[in-house]
Amino acid sequence: MGRTESKVETFRALHRRKAPGDPLVLPGPWDAASARVCVEAGFPALATPSAAVAAGLGYEDGDTPADEMFAAVARIVRAVDVPVSADIEGGYGIAPGELVERLLETGAVGCNLEDSEGGVLKDPGAHADWLAEVRRAAADRLFVNARIDTFIRAPGDTDPKQAAEQAIERAAAYVAAGADCVYPIGAPVDVLPLLRSGIQGPINVHGTVTGDPSSTALGELGATRITFGPGLQRESARALRGIAAGLR
């Protein structure tokens, strides 16, 4: 078994929860230096956030060219020895086979893939078909995290329970298509038990860098793994602003 293959298996194993209150916590580095800091802190794996990488490269979220995103992921992977999953947004319009190969070239062992584009939810059936193509191309070489955007793309007056039910329907289609994990981003804490009861397999939940609620609490509510989006990068930027202001 090659080094990348062994890292994929390690990453998969990390999603097998030892206890409900012990979810996998994946910090989100945006460059090689922040990745090393996270590993030095003791985290067993990392998950890059596209918004944070975009900020580090000087782009708005969603505007990073594919070549630059893949290059940034490759630099992060080279800097550490732990498994790295990459947020590659909606796949940049790249055909599934090529997308998988480009990801593997970076050394990443997993990916996030969104089910909305231009602020609009994709047809769940068509997206599931596309995820199935990604899975066929990747076989067991990548851990696929299917992001579900029903909470962040729903109209402001949408009942969270309704958004949760839609998320459960989409999750079933994506898991059937081969997704290893689903990520109902933006789900309110109080609907996590409903999501857990209706979704088969691992669930990714968005945490906060303030630790409120704690990772333990989120795990007890149903989270298999916790990521933070661009939270670490934005908190670091705030700290840097304070340091820079003090130098004047």
Side-chain angles (χ1 to χ4, degrees):
M1 181 180 292
R3 189 169 180 229
T4 299
E5 287 82 356
S6 64
K7 281 188 176 181
V8 174
E9 292 309 312
T10 296
F11 193 61
R12 283 204 177 90
L14 289 170
H15 289 77
R16 300 181 191 121
R17 297 194 302 172
K18 296 180 286 296
D22 187 24
L24 172 62
V25 179
L26 297 173
W30 57 97
D31 60 14
S34 59
R36 287 180 176 137
V37 168
C38 291
V39 172
E40 288 167 3
F43 290 97
L46 308 173
T48 69
S50 62
V53 173
L57 295 173
Y59 294 102
E60 294 297 320
D61 185 21
D63 289 344
T64 309
D67 288 350
E68 293 196 46
M69 183 63 75
F70 287 119
V73 171
R75 288 191 291 271
I76 290 169
V77 171
R78 285 198 301 268
V80 296
D81 289 329
V82 302
V84 176
S85 182
D87 181 351
I88 53 169
E89 304 176 274
Y92 308 109
I94 301 171
E98 181 184 351
L99 184 67
V100 166
E101 293 309 314
R102 294 193 68 174
L103 265 169
L104 291 172
E105 286 171 3
T106 70
V109 300
C111 61
N112 270 23
L113 293 167
E114 304 169 4
D115 71 347
S116 66
E117 184 175 10
V120 178
L121 284 166
K122 297 177 181 178
D123 175 78
H127 189 62
D129 290 344
W130 183 78
L131 286 173
E133 291 185 49
V134 172
R135 169 53 67 209
R136 282 193 291 273
D140 293 330
R141 298 179 294 171
L142 288 173
F143 186 98
V144 177
N145 187 33
R147 201 179 89 175
I148 300 173
D149 292 356
T150 57
F151 292 97
I152 63 171
R153 303 305 183 202
D157 59 350
T158 301
D159 179 2
K161 184 178 178 181
Q162 180 183 0
E165 290 169 349
Q166 293 171 349
I168 289 170
E169 291 176 2
R170 285 174 176 262
Y174 302 164
V175 170
D180 298 288
C181 182
V182 295
Y183 179 17
I185 187 172
V189 171
D190 58 1
V191 303
L192 292 182
L194 174 59
L195 292 171
R196 179 68 281 169
S197 67
I199 293 175
Q200 297 296 315
I203 301 176
N204 189 155
V205 171
H206 193 287
T208 66
V209 294
T210 62
D212 182 24
S214 69
S215 296
T216 297
L218 290 174
E220 290 172 344
L221 289 170
T224 308
R225 83 181 205 179
I226 298 168
T227 54
F228 305 90
L232 286 175
Q233 183 270 327
R234 290 175 180 172
E235 191 66 25
S236 297
R238 279 191 286 271
L240 182 57
R241 288 189 195 100
I243 295 170
L247 296 176
R248 293 185 63 186

